[in-house]
Every structure is written in C-alpha cells, then in structure tokens.
Amino acid sequence: MVRATLLTLALAALLVAPAQGFSIEVKKGNTDLKTIKAGTYRIKVEDKAAIHNFHLIGPGLNRKTSVSFKGETTWTIKLKPGRYTYQCDPHAASGMKGHFRVTA
C-alpha cells in the first residue's frame, strides 16, 4: 500500500492596490515549504486565475496545469531527492516562481 501525504500547492491571484499583483507558493498546512522528505504525496493544486498555470519540475517530474485551467485538481506524485521548481510559465520571468528541496 502506498502512503500518500496531502500537500497543498497554491497558486493564488492577489489584488494589490493600486496595481494588480500575483503570487505562487507551496505550503504544507499553513507553512511555506522549503524542505520535505522524499516519498509519495497527494498534491492539491489550487489555481484561482485563468491567466496562470502551475508547473512543477524536478528529478523525473514535469507536471503542469494549463493556463486556461481555473479551479482545484489533485495529483499523486513521487518526489525524489533533489531540487524542485514551481512556476507560472507565462510569468516566471517576472518572478512568479519558487523552489523547495527534497531530502532522502
């Protein structure tokens, strides 16, 4: 039996007055994720804006939602040791990206 932990990856559109700003983050519970142990995880992706996507890239993993997708989806993925990058593809160059490390 595979034990999968639920990890929430959130892509949130935030309105910042007077300009519009966006953020992308990975959280485990209410804490920003910086390091996690290798293993199988259920990941909930929340995309609140149809102008973004969520793209997760790491050792043996390249998974993403479409830019037009808006809503929630759950993936079951295996995280191997190494560095993982998450980003919004259309806005990665402007800083809408981050990373976390997976340890053995």
Side-chain angles (χ1 to χ4, degrees), residues 4-53:
T5 302
L6 181 62
L7 176 67
T8 299
L9 304 182
L11 172 59
L14 305 173
L15 186 59
V16 180
Q20 189 174 10
F22 301 98
S23 70
I24 190 169
E25 57 191 6
V26 174
K27 291 188 169 194
K28 183 177 181 183
N30 291 326
T31 306
D32 288 337
L33 183 69
K34 299 297 180 203
T35 305
I36 193 168
K37 291 192 177 223
T40 301
Y41 293 87
R42 284 182 41 234
I43 296 181
K44 184 170 96 175
V45 179
E46 300 173 349
D47 188 341
K48 299 179 181 179
I51 61 170
H52 302 294
N53 76 329

Side-chain angles (χ1 to χ4, degrees), residues 1-5 39-42 76-78:
M1 181 162 110
V2 175
R3 181 173 168 253
T5 302
T40 301
Y41 293 87
R42 284 182 41 234
T76 299
I77 61 170
K78 185 172 184 175

